[in-house]
Amino acid sequence: MYENELRALLMGAGADLVGFSCVRDELPEELKIYPYAITIVRKLAKAVTDTIQGAPTMIYFQHYRMTNTKLDLLALDAISFIEKQGYLALPIAASQSTPDEKEEYKGVFPHKTGAVKSGLGFIGKSGVLITEECGSFVRLATVLTDMPLEPSGEVHYSKCGTCTLCRDACPAHAITGEEYIPGHARKEIFDAKKCSEHMKTYKHIGRGAVCGICMSVCPYNKRI
Ligand code: SF4
Ligand code: SF4
């Protein structure tokens, strides 16, 4: 009922894509009171991502952080709208992943779960969301809410096919080369710990928080 208004609000304020989904089954027990997800997508600037030539750059790191901030601000706009309609909304920050006690590098709620369930794209062999419109150089934020929202699309399966460019380019050997099947564990395709450990080797560039090499070789970004 409020999907069109929310989409218009967020796209007007700078989102590149907006999706809606019901994620009740994927939420931890304490969050099931907010079963609907709004996924907000913002594309990274091509002039910035083009600077990644075999290693991340300071320009990429700064733009990455700025984009996360923009997404968090967009989430605030969604919250204001939702609360005015008498519902509750819980923001999941764009950057949220920290190692837990098992070193699983998980956030409160994975943005990609909402993105895939709302039909915004598919998960590539590199473990990132790939969208037709913006490729995979995107950042995401999520707002969970009790405002009923109709799903905006169907789940898409992997369209990587026989491509292995990201696996071959990954200096950490963190990508297995398997295609992602919705519902399967992330570790089947991607070793988050290896990826995170490798990022720490770029402490001099982006405080060890970014890499982006796998996305820089992805054909879905070359065509954008
Ligand atoms: S971000 Fe870097 S280390 Fe992580 S999977 Fe991609 S290429 Fe490998
Ligand atoms: S580089 Fe190829 S295999 Fe990797 S995510 Fe992109 S399309 Fe899929």
Side-chain angles (χ1 to χ4, degrees):
M1 162 180 188
Y2 291 110
E3 295 83 354
N4 289 342
E5 279 177 86
L6 265 169
R7 177 174 282 110
L9 170 79
L10 293 169
M11 301 285 275
D16 288 311
L17 298 170
V18 175
F20 307 106
S21 57
C22 178
V23 293
R24 186 193 326 258
D25 293 344
E26 287 75 23
L27 291 172
E29 211 50 49
E30 68 275 14
L31 294 183
K32 286 190 190 294
I33 50 172
Y34 308 117
Y36 302 98
I38 303 160
T39 304
I40 310 168
V41 179
R42 175 95 185 180
K43 183 180 175 297
L44 297 171
K46 182 158 170 41
V48 172
T49 57
D50 280 351
T51 65
I52 304 173
Q53 301 287 335
T57 61
M58 187 58 85
I59 286 175
Y60 173 56
F61 171 62
Q62 287 161 340
H63 183 62
Y64 183 98
R65 288 209 305 177
M66 197 187 305
T67 304
N68 285 347
T69 301
K70 173 74 180 175
L71 283 162
D72 291 340
L73 293 173
L74 288 167
L76 292 184
D77 290 343
I79 292 167
S80 298
F81 176 87
I82 289 166
E83 290 193 339
K84 277 185 194 138
Q85 315 310 321
Y87 296 94
L88 296 174
L90 185 82
I92 308 293
S95 181
Q96 52 155 347
S97 181
T98 50
D100 62 15
E101 65 274 7
K102 294 188 206 151
E103 298 235 332
E104 288 188 338
Y105 297 88
K106 281 182 181 164
V108 176
F109 172 75
H111 300 302
K112 285 180 280 188
T113 297
V116 169
K117 288 200 86 170
S118 58
L120 290 178
F122 66 92
I123 302 299
K125 290 180 183 176
S126 55
V128 300
L129 176 75
I130 300 181
T131 70
E132 288 290 342
E133 299 89 342
C134 306
S136 68
F137 266 128
V138 292
R139 297 291 304 155
L140 311 174
T142 306
V143 176
L144 299 174
T145 178
D146 56 359
M147 171 185 271
L149 295 167
E150 285 294 320
S152 50
E154 303 277 313
V155 171
H156 298 287
Y157 286 77
S158 171
K159 296 179 186 168
C160 289
T162 57
C163 177
T164 57
L165 288 172
C166 56
R167 183 199 67 184
D168 301 342
C170 175
H173 306 292
I175 298 167
T176 67
E178 295 295 315
E179 282 200 280
Y180 180 70
I181 299 169
H184 282 201
R186 178 178 66 174
K187 64 182 181 201
E188 305 282 337
I189 60 164
F190 171 73
D191 187 326
K193 188 173 181 192
K194 278 188 185 171
C195 173
S196 180
E197 291 300 316
H198 180 75
M199 285 186 191
K200 288 177 192 161
T201 67
Y202 302 123
K203 275 211 176 341
H204 57 298
I205 298 171
R207 297 186 199 157
V210 292
C211 169
I213 295 170
C214 50
M215 291 189 279
S216 71
V217 299
C218 181
Y220 281 93
N221 289 324
K222 302 285 181 201
R223 64 172 78 156
I224 300 299

